[in-house]
């Protein structure tokens, strides 16, 4: 039986030396006493794991772990006013940068690799999700006349379903505009929906030797250059595979090169899906399966909104919202690392719920995650010979 709580063991998996290097590079915590950046991080991770609804919940929750706080690397539980103040004033980019540091270690777990596709290109899924906010409280989050929001533009790594890049903008920013700053990796492939059918953007990607698979809009103007043969005895869902050239004056100026257009039939939704790509050698079926994999990013958005704490916020400033979102992303990174190689087949929702119920239980993390339901052996039967006479 271990003497350290489950939450303490989870926190111990974080690379604190890298966190200290970030603090030094940013010049943070030089004259900080008491509630330093590490204590702030632990407090916000507790907010995510426990799904605390207020700063009072965070303060009282950590206070209930008295005697175990040293295992978390903190001296004492913070007060609610201290948490509120630091959420408003501490630089949120610290937690963004720490997420990317952790991604390099956690995100490289071999069990997060997937081999569904035989292509050598790195696969990324691109989309955005809108997080609604009350405009009267979050007056900086411009979206509509009577509604506020922020938008998470996310480039998801197909291996492990973890964000490779996140750009958080106001709700007004269009999906394609929020994608111009994403980091581009040569020979990788980006899969996206029709909202990214921006030929200027696609030209930037193509110029950087990045492949794309995009669902094209119905109103694009093009002419067919060459129609490719379809496989006879398989992949009957592929309806058309052709090389095209844009004919619209504006679109042709933005993207003067040839494109490949593939039409496939979606049995599930009973509709035809039309895709464009700059990859000319992969099979049409591979292109269609890549687009089908785009659904993974929708599942990711659903998971972070349902399982973590980013639909309501414990602070109203922009800085507080950004800190809460980035600590949520750190939390999902930790959860995916925990889920990567246990003997028990966890669903993410079950793992989150079980950790939430056992945060301050003193049990060995690895044993618990491998076998959460320890079955007790059946009691031995005591057969006693009765006395006949």
């Amino acid at each position: 039986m271990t003497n350290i709580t489950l939450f303490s063991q989870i926190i111990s998996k974080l690379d604190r030396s890298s966190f200290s290097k970030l603090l030094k590079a940013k010049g943070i915590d030089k004259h900080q006493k008491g509630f330093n950046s590490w204590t702030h991080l632990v407090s916000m991770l507790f907010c995510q794991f426990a799904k605390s609804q207020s700063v009072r919940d965070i303060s009282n929750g950590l206070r209930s772990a008295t005697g175990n706080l040293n295992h978390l690397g903190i001296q004492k539980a913070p007060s609610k006013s201290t948490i509120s103040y630091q959420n408003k004033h501490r630089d949120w980019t610290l937690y963004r940068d720490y997420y990317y540091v952790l991604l390099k270690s956690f995100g490289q777990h071999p069990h997060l690799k997937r081999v569904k596709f035989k292509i050598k290109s790195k696969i990324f899924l691109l989309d955005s999700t809108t997080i609604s906010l009350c405009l009267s409280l979050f007056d900086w989050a411009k979206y509509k006349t009577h509604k506020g929001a922020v938008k998470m533009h996310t480039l998801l790594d197909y291996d492990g379903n973890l964000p490779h890049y996140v750009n958080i903008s106001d709700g007004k920013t269009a999906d394609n505009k929020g994608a111009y700053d994403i980091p581009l990796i040569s020979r990788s492939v980006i899969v996206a929906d029709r909202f990214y059918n921006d030929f200027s953007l696609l030209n930037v990607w193509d110029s950087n030797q990045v492949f794309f698979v995009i669902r094209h809009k119905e109103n694009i103007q093009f002419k067919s250059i060459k129609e490719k043969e379809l496989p006879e005895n398989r992949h009957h869902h592929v309806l058309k595979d052709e090389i095209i050239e844009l004919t619209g004056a504006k679109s042709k100026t933005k993207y003067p090169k040839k494109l490949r257009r593939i039409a496939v039939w979606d049995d599930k939704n009973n509709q035809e899906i039309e895709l464009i790509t700059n990859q000319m050698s992969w099979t049409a079926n591979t292109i269609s399966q890549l687009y089908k994999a785009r659904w993974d990013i929708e599942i990711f958005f659903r998971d972070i909104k349902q399982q973590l704490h980013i639909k309501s916020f414990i602070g109203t400033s922009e800085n507080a919202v950004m800190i809460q979102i980035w600590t949520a992303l750190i939390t999902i990174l930790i959860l995916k690392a925990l889920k990567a190689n246990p003997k028990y087949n966890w669903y993410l929702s079950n793992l989150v719920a079980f950790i939430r119920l056992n945060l301050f239980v003193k049990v060995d993390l690895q044993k618990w995650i491998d076998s959460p339901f320890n079955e007790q052996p059946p009691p031995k039967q005591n057969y006693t010979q009765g006395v006949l006479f």
Side-chain angles (χ1 to χ4, degrees):
M1 191 73 177
T2 183
N3 290 321
I4 306 176
T5 63
L6 205 65
F7 184 52
S8 297
Q9 292 173 73
I10 292 171
I11 294 300
S12 69
K13 292 187 174 295
L14 300 178
D15 186 351
R16 193 164 179 182
S17 62
S18 296
F19 190 76
S20 299
K21 288 178 183 177
L22 282 176
L23 291 177
K24 188 176 180 180
K26 289 179 172 289
I28 301 175
D29 282 2
K30 277 187 176 179
H31 307 290
Q32 188 72 44
K33 295 180 180 180
F35 193 78
N36 57 22
S37 296
W38 180 258
T39 306
H40 192 187
L41 173 63
V42 172
S43 300
M44 293 306 296
L45 290 178
F46 176 79
C47 170
Q48 293 296 335
F49 279 107
K51 214 166 188 178
S52 305
Q53 297 302 311
S54 64
V55 289
R56 186 188 298 275
D57 287 349
I58 300 172
S59 178
N60 291 342
L62 289 174
R63 229 173 248 164
S64 68
T66 302
N68 295 290
L69 293 178
N70 59 316
H71 297 301
L72 295 169
I74 64 179
Q75 297 176 357
K76 64 177 183 178
S79 66
K80 56 187 180 64
S81 59
T82 302
I83 299 171
S84 293
Y85 179 84
Q86 294 298 344
N87 270 351
K88 188 174 182 179
H89 294 94
R90 182 166 275 129
D91 185 3
W92 64 267
T93 63
L94 170 66
Y95 304 106
R96 177 200 64 189
D97 294 348
Y98 191 48
Y99 168 82
Y100 290 121
V101 169
L102 292 175
L103 182 64
K104 290 180 181 178
S105 55
F106 288 169
Q108 300 304 313
H109 198 291
H111 288 272
L112 293 177
K113 303 294 181 183
R114 293 197 281 177
V115 291
K116 178 180 178 181
F117 296 98
K118 294 181 180 179
I119 60 176
K120 294 181 179 179
S121 296
K122 187 74 175 170
I123 302 169
F124 294 108
L125 314 175
L126 178 63
D127 207 346
S128 71
T129 187
T130 301
I131 301 171
S132 298
L133 300 169
C134 177
L135 192 58
S136 60
L137 295 175
F138 303 85
D139 55 359
W140 51 268
K142 305 299 182 184
Y143 183 39
K144 296 181 180 178
T145 306
H146 302 292
K147 188 177 181 181
V150 292
K151 187 176 281 189
M152 279 180 59
H153 307 269
T154 305
L155 186 67
L156 196 75
D157 191 338
Y158 176 75
D159 289 328
N161 281 1
L162 290 168
H164 179 74
Y165 174 80
V166 175
N167 175 27
I168 302 172
S169 69
D170 59 43
K172 286 185 174 181
T173 304
D175 288 0
N176 60 316
K177 299 301 180 185
Y180 274 90
D181 294 328
I182 65 173
L184 302 175
I185 299 176
S186 180
R187 312 302 294 177
S188 65
V189 56
I190 297 176
V191 185
D193 208 351
R194 60 163 61 96
F195 297 109
Y196 296 90
N197 192 175
D198 175 347
F199 289 114
S200 295
L201 176 65
L202 299 185
N203 194 43
V204 170
W205 292 352
D206 186 83
S207 300
N208 285 273
Q209 295 185 310
V210 173
F211 302 126
F212 55 80
V213 175
I214 307 287
R215 185 173 181 178
H216 75 69
K217 296 178 180 178
E218 295 178 355
N219 62 349
I220 71 165
Q221 298 175 334
F222 66 91
K223 65 178 180 180
S224 180
I225 304 296
K226 177 186 176 183
E227 191 161 337
K228 304 183 77 171
E229 290 186 9
L230 301 179
E232 293 182 1
N233 301 318
R234 55 188 182 140
H235 309 319
H236 298 296
H237 64 289
V238 179
L239 305 178
K240 179 160 284 194
D241 185 1
E242 61 182 344
I243 307 300
I244 66 168
E245 192 175 73
L246 300 175
T247 57
K250 290 184 179 179
S251 57
K252 187 172 177 62
T253 301
K254 294 175 181 177
Y255 197 96
K257 304 171 187 176
K258 292 181 175 61
L259 286 164
R260 185 179 177 191
R261 177 178 175 270
I262 296 169
V264 296
W265 182 256
D266 179 9
D267 280 328
K268 186 175 180 180
N269 298 303
N270 199 32
Q271 63 176 342
E272 182 179 328
I273 295 176
E274 299 169 317
L275 308 171
I276 53 172
T277 179
N278 60 339
Q279 169 47 251
M280 303 297 179
S281 60
W282 297 342
T283 67
N285 181 60
T286 297
I287 301 296
S288 68
Q289 291 302 312
L290 279 169
Y291 185 77
K292 189 176 181 180
R294 197 198 66 84
W295 185 248
D296 285 3
I297 196 169
E298 303 290 351
I299 295 173
F300 172 78
F301 288 145
R302 182 201 65 190
D303 284 344
I304 62 171
K305 286 185 175 182
Q306 289 183 357
Q307 311 305 332
L308 300 180
H309 193 11
I310 64 166
K311 290 180 73 176
S312 60
F313 292 86
I314 60 173
T316 58
S317 68
E318 182 177 2
N319 201 73
V321 169
M322 297 293 267
I323 287 175
Q324 192 166 327
I325 291 175
W326 280 105
T327 50
L329 292 173
I330 292 173
T331 304
I332 200 75
L333 190 57
I334 296 170
L335 289 168
K336 289 291 182 75
L338 292 175
K339 185 176 172 289
N341 193 27
K343 295 178 182 177
Y344 184 78
N345 186 24
W346 286 99
Y347 289 101
L348 185 65
S349 57
N350 289 342
L351 181 60
V352 172
F354 272 61
I355 290 177
R356 190 164 290 149
L357 291 170
N358 295 279
L359 273 180
F360 293 136
V361 173
K362 294 180 178 180
V363 61
D364 184 270
L365 173 61
Q366 192 57 51
K367 289 182 179 178
W368 175 82
I369 208 167
D370 282 339
S371 182
F373 304 104
N374 277 327
E375 296 183 4
Q376 298 296 326
K380 293 182 179 180
Q381 297 293 332
N382 187 16
Y383 297 103
T384 306
Q385 179 67 47
V387 179
L388 185 58
F389 299 106

